[in-house]
């Protein structure tokens, strides 16, 4: 049909393959809270973001089925048209309460939330300061503003202060955006100090709590640790990780949420989430609120793992084992797969060049013996080999 198009794609693919950066989709069937089936083999997954195993929870599945029966499979349109089924208001009230905010707005996904919220609040005259290790969709949102995008060194508040001192006065508005829990590193942002800096410079602080809600800060997320308590005016997050389902959200003041509902393109021009997904999130949040001990389990498991390996203590359920080289990381993942563990290798451009890694994630249901066996294999056969 178009020879130049296929040639373009083939050359690109060949070049990526040569650099060990070719990505493929591997069929994976979830068999339960921690087990998956891949290539006919049962594996214990240490790669899911389903930290509380709620995607497999019986009562939550039942809530999704019931909502489907009652309201149908899809929402039928954008929420601004006819897609705003009755479950949204209930979910938004729950999110706002959990996050200590006046109001909330639910989006189709976390990616849609970030690429919609940032350009709805900042424009071509404005500036956005972003932590260098923030998620790709924060950068995508920042670029969509058409304004000045300044990248500060990871968790380096001194660098952020320098940037604001040099540039803040040139712009009517400034936004500071960061992951609350860094998705590939598992460390936390210094939320309290970022809130101080934001106040000093009249900048608006926005945190992405994709990996924090349900698992840190007693389930309330990363804006409730490191001195952040109630000081983040823009709390964004997803329903796709610990909450177990799908979707994104922003918790903020009534005025901000009103503006987002009116002006945010990824809300206005995209179909509302299906009733089943919204009902599942409501049921999941009820569980998270009612059982903080359960919400604490993934971090407890991650700490057992970092202790076993003599690594710095885990701050979240995400623990990176940085190996550097993509080929070596792929080989390590293959070795673990032979031992019955799924630990997906993470390579550039998802992480910076030269920092390919195993990203190990812990969930409430992981067995302590499996965690110790995984740590033992990583210590003896992956890390020692480097020494
Ligand atoms: C996963 C993730 C997102 C995207 O959320 P989805 O709901 O999966 O689209 C956004 N930000 C961070 C930090 C994430 O880890």
């Amino acid at each position: 049909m178009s020879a130049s198009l296929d040639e373009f794609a083939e050359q690109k693919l060949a070049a990526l393959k040569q650099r060990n950066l070719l990505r493929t989709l591997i069929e994976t069937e979830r068999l339960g809270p921690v087990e998956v089936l891949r290539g006919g083999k049962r594996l214990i997954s240490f790669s899911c973001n389903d930290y509380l195993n709620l995607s497999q929870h019986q009562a939550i599945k039942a809530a999704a089925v019931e909502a489907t029966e009652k309201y149908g499979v899809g929402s039928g349109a954008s929420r601004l048209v006819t897609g705003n089924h009755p479950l949204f208001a209930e979910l938004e009230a729950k999110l706002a309460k959990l996050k200590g905010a006046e109001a909330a707005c639910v989006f189709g996904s976390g990616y849609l939330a970030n690429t919609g919220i940032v350009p709805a609040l900042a424009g071509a005259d404005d500036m956005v300061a972003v932590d260098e290790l923030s998620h790709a969709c924060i950068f995508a949102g920042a670029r969509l503003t058409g304004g000045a995008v300044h990248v500060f060194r990871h968790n380096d508040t001194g660098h952020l202060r320098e940037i604001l001192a040099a540039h803040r006065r040139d712009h009517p508005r400034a936004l500071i955006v960061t992951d609350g829990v860094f998705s590939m590193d598992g460390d936390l942002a210094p939320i309290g100090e970022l809130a101080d800096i934001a106040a000093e410079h009249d900048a608006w602080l926005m945190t992405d709590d994709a990996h924090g809600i349900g698992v840190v800060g007693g389930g309330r997320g990363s804006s409730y640790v490191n001195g952040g308590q109630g000081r983040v005016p823009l709390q964004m997050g997803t329903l796709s990780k610990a909450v177990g389902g799908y979707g994104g959200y922003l918790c903020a003041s009534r005025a901000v949420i009103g503006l987002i509902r009116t002006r945010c393109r990824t809300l206005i021009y995209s179909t509302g989430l299906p009733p089943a997904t919204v009902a599942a999130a409501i049921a999941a949040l009820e569980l998270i609120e009612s059982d903080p001990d359960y919400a604490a389990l993934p971090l407890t498991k991650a700490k057992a793992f970092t202790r076993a390996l003599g690594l710095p203590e885990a701050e979240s359920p995400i623990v990176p084992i940085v190996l550097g080289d993509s080929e070596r990381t792929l080989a390590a993942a293959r070795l673990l797969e032979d031992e019955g563990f799924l630990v997906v290798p993470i390579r550039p451009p998802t992480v910076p060049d030269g920092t390919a890694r195993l990203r190990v994630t812990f969930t409430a249901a992981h067995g302590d013996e499996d965690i110790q066996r995984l740590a033992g294999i990583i210590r003896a056969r992956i890390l020692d080999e480097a020494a």
Side-chain angles (χ1 to χ4, degrees):
M1 295 273 266
S2 173
S4 63
L5 173 60
D6 288 345
E7 201 177 299
F8 162 78
E10 276 158 14
Q11 280 178 2
K12 278 264 183 195
L13 285 172
L16 288 167
K17 185 162 186 199
Q18 202 184 3
R19 293 162 58 207
N20 280 312
L21 296 178
L22 193 64
R23 296 161 183 239
T24 51
L25 296 171
I26 303 173
E27 192 171 288
T28 309
E29 188 182 333
R30 308 269 314 274
L31 296 175
V34 297
E35 265 196 320
V36 299
L37 190 65
R38 249 197 189 197
K41 197 170 167 189
R42 294 177 88 97
L43 300 167
I44 297 170
S45 169
F46 281 93
S47 283
C48 293
N49 298 323
D50 188 12
Y51 302 115
L52 298 173
N53 317 101
L54 297 185
S55 80
Q56 311 295 314
H57 193 283
Q58 205 49 50
I60 295 172
K61 287 199 264 185
V65 170
E66 192 188 319
T68 301
E69 292 293 349
K70 189 162 175 190
Y71 297 111
V73 171
S75 71
S78 161
R79 293 186 60 193
L80 275 293
V81 183
T82 60
N84 197 39
H85 52 76
L87 297 168
F88 277 111
E90 190 182 344
L91 175 57
E92 289 175 343
K94 276 208 173 312
L95 283 165
K97 181 164 162 266
L98 181 72
K99 295 285 185 174
E102 282 178 4
C105 181
V106 167
F107 293 80
S109 73
Y111 200 107
L112 285 171
N114 277 334
T115 51
I117 296 161
V118 181
L121 297 175
D125 295 336
D126 301 324
M127 67 172 280
V128 187
V130 186
D131 185 290
E132 65 181 338
L133 295 188
S134 294
H135 194 267
C137 60
I138 293 177
F139 284 98
R143 281 188 211 106
L144 284 172
T145 64
V149 180
H150 294 278
V151 181
F152 61 94
R153 286 187 296 272
H154 177 51
N155 278 351
D156 186 339
T157 49
H159 191 209
L160 174 61
R161 280 180 203 276
E162 278 169 33
I163 288 170
L164 286 164
H167 302 286
R168 175 68 185 91
R169 71 177 71 88
D170 301 334
H171 305 280
R173 285 164 293 269
L175 209 54
I176 300 168
V177 196
T178 183
D179 282 19
V181 175
F182 286 86
S183 58
M184 296 298 136
D185 295 78
D187 55 342
L188 306 178
I191 305 282
E193 209 181 332
L194 292 174
D196 292 341
I197 295 172
E200 285 159 27
H201 292 271
D202 186 26
W204 304 332
L205 178 60
M206 171 167 163
T207 60
D208 178 334
D209 197 38
H211 297 275
I213 187 173
V215 286
V216 303
R220 300 185 83 182
S222 56
S223 31
Y224 284 85
V225 295
N226 280 352
Q229 276 73 356
R231 300 184 61 209
V232 181
L234 298 160
Q235 302 184 67
M236 174 271 165
T238 83
L239 305 168
S240 346
K241 280 137 191 177
V243 184
Y246 199 62
Y249 64 84
L250 175 68
C251 293
S253 67
R254 246 174 244 114
V256 168
I257 295 300
L259 177 66
I260 290 294
R261 287 184 178 150
T262 308
R263 294 304 299 272
C264 184
R265 299 177 65 85
T266 55
L267 178 76
I268 300 170
Y269 299 109
S270 189
T271 300
L273 281 174
T277 308
V278 180
I282 292 168
L285 289 176
E286 273 165 10
L287 216 136
I288 289 167
E289 278 170 347
S290 68
D291 199 347
D293 291 345
Y294 186 69
L297 280 176
L299 180 55
T300 305
K301 309 262 173 186
K303 284 181 178 170
F305 178 76
T306 50
R307 219 175 297 124
L309 278 176
L311 295 172
E313 183 169 79
E315 295 177 66
S316 77
I318 304 165
V319 179
I321 309 275
V322 178
L323 299 175
D325 175 63
S326 289
E327 177 57 32
R328 181 168 170 233
T329 308
L330 289 169
R334 278 193 300 270
L335 185 155
L336 292 175
E337 190 165 330
D338 288 341
E339 293 291 338
F341 296 119
L342 179 63
V343 183
V344 172
I346 308 284
R347 294 168 284 164
T350 305
V351 292
D353 277 331
T355 70
R357 68 196 63 186
L358 298 172
R359 173 181 177 271
V360 192
T361 58
F362 295 87
T363 74
H366 275 119
D368 295 332
E369 279 168 27
D370 289 327
I371 293 170
Q372 293 304 324
R373 195 166 85 80
L374 175 68
I377 293 169
I378 290 176
R379 187 190 322 106
R381 295 174 58 194
I382 293 172
L383 294 179
D384 268 10
E385 177 203 344

